[in-house]
Amino acid sequence: MNADFTKEELAFQHEVRNFLESEFPADIRDKVDRNIRLSKEDIVRWQKILNRQGWMAPNWPEEYGGTGWTPTQKYIFNQEMGRIGAPEPVAFGVKMVAPVILAYGSEAQKQRFLPDILESNVWWCQGYSEPNAGSDLASLKTTAVRDGDHYVVNGTKTWNTLGQYADWIFCLVRTDNTAKKQEGISFLLIDMASPGIKVNPIVLMDGSPEVNEVVFDNVRVPIENLIGEENKGWTYAKVLLTHERTNIARVPYTKRRVNELKSAAASRADGSGGSLADDPSFASKVAELEIDLLALEYAELRTLAAVTVGKAPGPESSILKIVGTEVAQKADELFLEVADYDALPFVPEQFEAGFTGAALGDGYLASTALDYFNHRKVSIYGGSNEIQKNIICKAVLGL
Amino acid sequence: MNADFTKEELAFQHEVRNFLESEFPADIRDKVDRNIRLSKEDIVRWQKILNRQGWMAPNWPEEYGGTGWTPTQKYIFNQEMGRIGAPEPVAFGVKMVAPVILAYGSEAQKQRFLPDILESNVWWCQGYSEPNAGSDLASLKTTAVRDGDHYVVNGTKTWNTLGQYADWIFCLVRTDNTAKKQEGISFLLIDMASPGIKVNPIVLMDGSPEVNEVVFDNVRVPIENLIGEENKGWTYAKVLLTHERTNIARVPYTKRRVNELKSAAASRADGSGGSLADDPSFASKVAELEIDLLALEYAELRTLAAVTVGKAPGPESSILKIVGTEVAQKADELFLEVADYDALPFVPEQFEAGFTGAALGDGYLASTALDYFNHRKVSIYGGSNEIQKNIICKAVLGL
Amino acid sequence: MDFSFTEEQQMLQDSVQKFVRDNYDFETRRELLASDRGYSSENWNLFAELGWLTVPFREEDGGFGGSAVDLMVMMEELGRAMVLEPFVPTAVIAGGLISELGTDDQKRELLPRIMGGELQLACAISEPGSRFNLANVATRAEAQGEKVILSGSKVAVLNGSHADQLLVVARSAGSQLERNGISVYLVDAGAPGVKRHGYTNVDGHGAAAIDFDAVEVSSAACLGAPGEAYAALEKVVDRATVAVASEAVGALDSLLQKTVEYSKTRNQFGVPIGTFQALQHRMADMFIECQLARSIVMMAAMKLDSSAGDDEKAKAVSAAKSRLGRAIFKVGQEAIQLHGGIGITDELDVAHLFKRVTAIETLFGNTDYHTRRFASL
Amino acid sequence: MDFSFTEEQQMLQDSVQKFVRDNYDFETRRELLASDRGYSSENWNLFAELGWLTVPFREEDGGFGGSAVDLMVMMEELGRAMVLEPFVPTAVIAGGLISELGTDDQKRELLPRIMGGELQLACAISEPGSRFNLANVATRAEAQGEKVILSGSKVAVLNGSHADQLLVVARSAGSQLERNGISVYLVDAGAPGVKRHGYTNVDGHGAAAIDFDAVEVSSAACLGAPGEAYAALEKVVDRATVAVASEAVGALDSLLQKTVEYSKTRNQFGVPIGTFQALQHRMADMFIECQLARSIVMMAAMKLDSSAGDDEKAKAVSAAKSRLGRAIFKVGQEAIQLHGGIGITDELDVAHLFKRVTAIETLFGNTDYHTRRFASL
C-alpha cells in the first residue's frame, strides 16, 4: 500500500494540469467561477478541445478512442478537472450509451454512432424513467411494436435531462408484454428528429430548464437501431449500471464546492465583527464535511483498486452513490448557512450569460437556495439512495 | 393557553418542595448525589415516607389511596421529585400491576393486594418478556394449565428487573394454545415464594445486578390469583400500556442529568487552560439537548392536557417514549465527552455504599461509561423504539 | 397552566381554515404567484373585513387582543396553505414596532389604517453583513435641525417592494454594534433618495434591497424617542419569529400529510410505497419532528404571553426557532425524497411548501444562530 | 498509488487470523478477563515467537519493517477478536518512543527485550485535567547532579499495573502547556516513590493511576536529550491512534457481521427480524459506516508511510480518528439496539465489542478533539 504517486503519475498530473490551465477556455472558466449556466455551445466547444487532446473518453477501449489510462490516471484526471472546474463531458453519450454500444452493439452500430459521440457532433439523451416507473424502472410501459422493418414506439419518458439539446435518445422500451417485466424490455436508439416525438419541458422547483418529458406518438424506428437482441435490454442496461460507476461519488466536484464554501465563509461577516470561518462551531461542521469527503475519496480509491486487480466493482459501489450525494447535499446546507438572507432571492436569470440587472447580495451566494433545491435530485436519480440500500442489503449483507 | 401556574398551583409546588426538602432522607439524598446505588431498604424507607404523606400513588383513584391531583399537579410533583433527585416509587407495584388490579381485579383482589403496595410491604416484579418473546411479546410460551383450583405454571420469563427483591410477580401466561396468539393469554399473580420458582441473575454489560431470568417449574398458583377473565390478559396488559404513560418521557430525570452535565462541564478542564463549558461547540451540543428536552416536555404537557379534557392519550404518546429515551441517551454521550479518560475505569463496587477503596478520577464521572452502557436498554425495553414507530405508523399515520 | 384554546381562538382558527379552504387552493395560489404583486389585494381587504389584521394588536389600540397564541393559531393555518399576503411584515413587524414604540398620536394615525387594510408597510432592518444581529446597524440618522437625514443600505426587506411606507432602523448614535442609539423612522416609500430594488424570494414572497441616499424626514418621523428602539425591535422580531415559526409548523404538517397520502397511492414494485417499512419508519420520524416542532413553538408562544422575564421569553423563542430549524431540514428533505422525482418539480405543492419552510429557517435567525442565542441567555 | 498488500502483509494477516481462530474464542477470552493479569503471558510469548512484536520496529533495529500499514493489518485482526494482550502500550507506544528518542545504547538495551517478549512497558502520559493535550504536562523532572527527581500524578496509564518498566513523560523545563521542555524517562515500576493504583477499564484492558513521589532516576534514564520529546511523543501517539483505530475497524466489522447474522436467525412475529426493511436499511447504514471508517483509517496509515509532511500526516490521523468516532457511536449503538435485550448482557460478545470500541473512541483523543485538530492543521 502506498499513498504516494509514482514519478510517472506525477508527470501525468503535471501534463493534465498544464493542459487544463492552457486549454480550458477562459470565458467558460469565468462562467464556471461565477456560477453562470453553460450554453450548449460552451459545452460542445470544450468537449471538442478535450477530444483534440484524445481525452474525451477515458472509459472507452483504446481502439475506439479511449486513453488506456490506469485507474490512478483516471483518478488524477478527474481530480484535475474538478480542481479547475472544467466540466466532465455530458455523460449520456460518452458514458452511458457508448458503453452499451461498445459491449452489445454491432460493428455497424459502433462505426455509425461512436465517432459522433467522440467528436461531440451528436448530443444524446436518456429515455429510461417513466411517470409510473421511477425506482421500479422495470415496470416501464413505453411500447415498441414491430411493423415490417420498423418498430412503432408509443409512450412517455420523463426526467429526461437536457433533452432539449438532444439529437438522439437511447430508450428502454417494452417489446414483449407477456414476459416477466424485466424480460420484455429492449434497448433502442431513436433519432429525436423522428416524426411523432414531442419534448415538453418540466419546470423544477429552482426554475431550471433542465429536464423534460418526451412523448412518443407512433414514432417509427428502423430495426437496425435495436441494440443487441430483442428483449435483452434490461440486462444490457443493468450490467452497465453496475460497471460504469466511474466518478459516481463526484469527489472532485464536491471538493471544489467545499473549497468555495470555505472561501465564502472566510469573506463572510458573522454579524458581530468577525468572519464566519472563525466561528468554531461552523468550522467544526466544515471539518466534518471535509473528513467525510476524504473517507469517501478513499472508499472510491479502494473500489478503483479492486477493479485494477480484475474484480468487478460490485454492489459496494452503491456506497459511493449514497455517500457522494449525501456529502454534496450537506455542502449545500452549509452554503445556506453561509449565505443567510443572500440565499433567498429568486432571480434565476442572473445565472444566465448576459444578465445585466443589478446583482443581489453576494454574487456567488445568491444561488445557494436554488442549488440546495436543485440538488435534492441527486439522492433521487440514478437509482435512488433507497434502491442503493436495497442493493447493499441483498447483494452484500445477504438480507 | 397559559404557561403560568395558577396561585393554587404555585402553592402546591411550594408544598411539594418543602416536603421533599425536609422529608427526603439526607443519607439517601447523599447517595443519589454521589451516584451510589440505593439498597432495597433505602427504597422502601423512602416509599413509606411518601405514603405517610399520602403521595405514594398519584395515579390511583382517590378511594383506594390516590391523590386526586390534576395533571398539572402531577407534573409539578414529578418536576420537584426530579429536581431534588428523589426516586419515584418502583413502578412494578404502584404503576404497573395496581392499575390492572384496579381496572380488572375483583374487590377481594383489590382489598388483598392494593394496601400492601401502598404501604410498600410487598415488592412486585414483572413477568412479561420471555427469551423468544421480546418485541413480539404476544408470542410468549409460558403456560398455565388448570389443575383443580390451581394453575400449574411452566416456562421462563426474562428481563425481570429487581426480581431478586420481589415477593410477588405479575405474569402474562398462555392458558389456551389453540387460540390466536393474543387471545390465549391470561394475567396471573404469583407468589415468588411458591415452590418451583428459580431466579437466575443476568449480568449486564455494565456489571449491574439488575435483571433476572425467572424459571417456573410446575409452580402451583391458586385460581383466585387470576385477574379478570381467563384468556383476556393481553387486552388488560395492552389497555394499561396505552393509558399508563405518566412520566414515560422522564423529563424531570433527564433535566437533572443535564444540570449535572452542565456543572460537570463547568468544573472540567479542557486540557488547554480553559473549562469545557466555555467551549462553543460543546456548549452548542448541550444547548441542543436542552432544547430537545424542552420540546419533549411540552409534547408531554400537551398529552396531559388532552387527557384532562377526556381524550385518551393515544398512540401519540409513543413519541414520548421514543424521544424521552433518545434524549436521555444523548445526555449519556455528552457525559462521555466530559469525562474523557475518567469514563473508562470499571470499578462498579465504587458505586456501592461502603466502598472504601481509592476513588478513581473525578468521582461522579467515573460512572459515565457504565451509565452509557446500561442506558442502551431504555430504547429497547417497555416496547422497543421500533415497536413505538410501528404503532405511530399504524395508529396515527394509517400506514 | 392551561393548554386549551379560548373560544375566540377557536373561532379565529375556524375562520382562517374556512378562508384557505374557499380561497387558497394550489391553483389559485399559482395565479397569485404569477401576478404582478405576487399576492391579492382583494384577499388583503378580506383579511381586514374578517378582523384578522387586528389580531396582533392590543384591545386598547382597537385590536383583537394581541397574544402570541392568537398569532400562532392564525399563522399555522395560513402556513398550511402557504398564504402569500404580507401579514407578518405589515401587521406583526411594522405594526408591532408602532405599537411598541409609537407615540399616542402615531398609533392613532397608523394603527387603524393597518387594521383597516389601507396601509402596506415594510420594515428595513438587515444590512449587508449584519446577518441576524439586530444591533448591527450602520445606516445613519443624522439630525439637522428639525430634519433627520437617513443614509445607508438595507437588504432583505420583506414586503419592501409593495409597501406604501417604510420603517427604517437607523443609528442616531453609537457605534455599529451597539444596542444604544438605534431608532426607527417612518419614511414614505416614494420619498426622494429612496431606491428600491424589488425582487421575489424563493418562497414567492416579495422583498427588496433598499438604498437610502440622504433621505430627508421630519424628526417627528421617529417612532418614540430617538436611540431607544433596540429592546422593542428585539421584542417585535421575537414575536415575528414565533409567527413565522407557527406558519412553518402548519407547513410541516402539510408536508407530512401530503407525503403520507402520496405513499398510499404511489405504486412501485406492485404495492404502494407506503407499505415499505423503511419508508414507514421515516414517516414516523417526520411525525415526531412535526410534533416536537409544534410543541416547542407552542411553548414559545405561551411564554411570550406569560409573566416570564424578558430573557426567559427570548430564550424560549430561540429554543423554538432552533428546534424548528432542525425539523425543517429533516421533514422538508424527507418529504421531497419520499416523493421522488415529482417532488422536485414546480408542479407540486410539496416543492412550494419545502421552499417556504426553507426560507423560514433563515428568517430572523437560522438554527445555529438561535442555538447560540439560547445558550447565551 | 497502490492499494494492495505486500506478500509479507498478507502473511502477517494470515498469521494473526490463524492465531485468533485457534486461540481466542469468546470463552477463552472470558477466562483471560477473569484471570489476575487480564491477559495471557503464554499468548505474549507466542506473539514474540511469531515475530509480531517486531512489527512496529524498523529493520535496522531488528524489526519487521515498522510501517503503519503493517500495524493496521495486524491490529484489525486483533480487533475482530478483542485481543487483550497489551501490544499497543508495550510495543507501539513505549517501543515507539524508545525507537524515536532513544540513544543507540538505549535501543540496543531495550528493543530486543521488547521484541523477545521479555519486557512489559507502559507509558505514563495523561494527567488529571490534561485531557488529550500532550503538551499539558505538570509532572516535574528536576535535575540534581547526576540524578533526576520525578514528581507528579499520571492517570489512564495503559498496561500500567503489569508493566516492568514505565516511560514517564515529565517536564524538565517550561510552563505547563508548553511543547518545549518535555522529556521521557525510563523508570523501574518498583522504584521507591512509585505508587501504582491498578484497575481494569470497561473494555477489560488493564490500566493504572500512578503517583510519582520524588522518584529518583539517573539522568541517563532520559530517552535521548532532555526537553526535546514532544515531537516524537506526538508522532508515536498518532501511530498508536492509527493502531487502535485499525483495531476498532476490525471490531466494527465484527459488530456488523454479528448483527446481520443475528437478524437472520432471530424470529419475531413469525419471521426473522432481518426481513424487516426498516432494520435492513439500518444495517445498510452500518455497513456504510464500516466501509467509510475502514477507508479513512487506511488513508491515515498510508499517509503515515508516505512522503507527506508532518502536518499532513497529523491531519490524516485526526481525520481518521474523528470519522471513526462517529462510526463507533453509530455502529455500536445500532448493533446493541438491533440485538435487543440480549445485546446488553455480559453474556454476548456484542456487548464486549461495543465496550471496546467505545473505549477506543476516547483513547488518544475523542471525536470532537480530532475534528478540531483536523481543522486547526
Side-chain angles (χ1 to χ4, degrees), chain B residues 130-136 139 159 181 202-206 268-273 276 279-282 285 329 333 336-341 343-347 358-360 369-370 372-374 376-377 379-380 384-387, chain D residues 126 129-133 136 155-156 177 197 199-203 209 266-270 279 282 328-329 332-334 336-347 351-352 354-356 358-359 361-366 368 372:
Chain B
E130 298 185 4
N132 291 308
S135 287
D136 182 13
S139 69
W159 312 132
K181 64 182 181 179
I202 298 173
V203 181
L204 296 188
M205 67 166 133
D206 66 331
R268 189 78 180 163
D270 70 354
S272 305
L276 192 57
D279 174 326
S281 127
F282 185 78
K285 284 188 258 188
Q329 290 176 332
E333 270 184 46
L336 277 187
E337 198 168 328
V338 171
D340 65 81
Y341 288 120
L344 299 186
F346 180 65
V347 190
L360 278 168
L370 301 184
Y372 173 70
F373 297 146
N374 184 279
R376 300 319 306 170
K377 73 186 175 196
S379 47
I380 295 169
S384 72
N385 287 13
E386 289 75 21
I387 293 293
Chain D
S126 300
S130 72
R131 218 163 156 86
F132 309 117
N133 184 355
N136 190 336
V155 295
L177 298 171
H197 180 68
Y199 58 88
T200 304
N201 272 336
V202 290
D203 53 11
R266 169 75 171 174
N267 284 296
Q268 295 274 273
F269 306 102
L279 306 190
R282 285 161 65 176
I328 283 174
F329 280 117
Q333 292 174 0
E334 286 290 74
I336 301 298
Q337 183 72 21
L338 296 184
H339 273 84
I342 194 75
I344 61 167
T345 68
D346 201 59
E347 299 299 308
H352 292 259
F354 178 61
K355 291 196 277 189
R356 178 60 183 155
T358 301
E361 197 274 329
T362 292
L363 285 187
F364 313 128
N366 63 14
D368 203 54
R372 284 146 195 259

Side-chain angles (χ1 to χ4, degrees), chain B residues 17-264:
Chain B
R17 192 171 294 185
N18 279 351
F19 164 77
L20 291 173
E21 288 290 350
S22 66
E23 301 298 327
F24 182 42
D27 62 320
I28 301 182
R29 185 170 182 175
D30 179 60
K31 281 188 178 179
V32 170
D33 287 343
R34 289 164 52 222
N35 208 26
I36 302 287
R37 200 182 304 280
L38 299 188
S39 67
K40 178 177 179 178
E41 185 277 326
D42 291 332
I43 294 168
V44 170
R45 177 156 49 102
W46 167 231
Q47 289 186 180
K48 282 178 181 284
I49 293 169
L50 271 178
N51 188 46
R52 268 205 304 279
Q53 180 75 3
W55 292 355
M56 176 67 185
N59 59 320
W60 291 16
E62 274 184 270
E63 51 176 316
Y64 289 100
T67 54
W69 288 338
T70 64
T72 304
Q73 284 178 299
K74 289 183 192 170
Y75 165 75
I76 290 170
F77 179 70
N78 287 332
Q79 290 288 313
E80 294 299 321
M81 292 273 280
R83 203 182 58 83
I84 200 172
E88 288 184 81
V90 174
F92 304 110
V94 74
K95 280 191 173 175
M96 299 185 78
V97 73
V100 177
I101 294 172
L102 280 161
Y104 304 107
S106 65
E107 196 49 39
Q109 288 170 329
K110 290 178 196 173
Q111 295 306 329
R112 178 175 173 202
F113 293 111
L114 295 180
D116 280 340
I117 292 175
L118 216 49
E119 290 161 25
S120 301
N121 293 332
V122 167
W123 188 296
W124 284 84
C125 68
Q126 184 188 42
Y128 279 10
S129 291
E130 298 185 4
N132 291 308
S135 287
D136 182 13
L137 183 58
S139 69
L140 58 90
K141 291 194 162 52
T142 296
T143 54
V145 177
R146 185 73 179 266
D147 177 28
D149 51 3
H150 283 76
Y151 288 103
V152 180
V153 177
N154 279 289
T156 302
K157 292 291 181 180
T158 194
W159 312 132
N160 170 280
T161 301
L162 299 181
Q164 67 266 40
Y165 300 151
D167 306 300
W168 280 75
I169 184 169
F170 56 97
C171 288
L172 291 176
V173 293
R174 187 159 303 283
T175 37
D176 182 354
N177 266 311
T178 63
K180 263 179 60 183
K181 64 182 181 179
Q182 285 87 351
E183 288 166 10
I185 293 172
S186 298
F187 196 105
L188 207 55
L189 311 181
I190 306 178
D191 187 338
M192 289 289 279
S194 314
I197 293 186
K198 192 152 175 260
V199 177
N200 302 316
I202 298 173
V203 181
L204 296 188
M205 67 166 133
D206 66 331
S208 66
E210 192 176 276
V211 295
N212 306 276
E213 182 184 72
V214 182
V215 182
F216 298 85
D217 179 14
N218 286 314
V219 176
R220 294 186 69 83
V221 180
I223 54 169
E224 63 260 32
N225 291 4
L226 176 74
I227 295 288
E229 290 178 53
E230 203 174 76
N231 298 331
K232 289 280 169 67
W234 182 255
T235 317
Y236 305 158
K238 207 178 148 196
V239 168
L240 268 295
L241 280 175
T242 315
H243 281 76
E244 278 306 312
R245 290 274 170 98
T246 325
N247 206 15
I248 193 181
R250 303 197 68 203
V251 172
Y253 164 81
T254 306
K255 263 193 192 169
R256 186 178 158 86
R257 286 281 288 169
V258 171
N259 286 335
E260 285 170 341
L261 176 73
K262 288 167 80 171
S263 86

Side-chain angles (χ1 to χ4, degrees), chain A residues 131-132 135-136 159 203 205 271 279 281 285 333 337-338 340-341 344-346 372 376-377 379 386, chain C residues 126 131-133 136 197 200-202 266 268-269 282 329 333 337 341-342 344 346 355 364 368 372:
Chain A
N132 291 308
S135 287
D136 182 12
W159 313 130
V203 181
M205 66 167 132
D279 174 325
S281 127
K285 284 188 256 188
E333 270 184 47
E337 199 168 328
V338 171
D340 65 80
Y341 288 120
L344 299 186
F346 180 65
Y372 173 71
R376 300 320 304 170
K377 73 185 175 195
S379 47
E386 290 74 22
Chain C
S126 300
R131 218 163 156 86
F132 310 117
N133 184 355
N136 190 336
H197 179 70
T200 304
N201 271 336
V202 290
R266 168 75 171 173
Q268 294 275 271
F269 306 103
R282 284 162 65 177
F329 280 117
Q333 291 173 1
Q337 183 72 22
I342 194 76
I344 61 167
D346 201 59
K355 291 195 277 190
F364 313 127
D368 202 53
R372 284 146 194 261

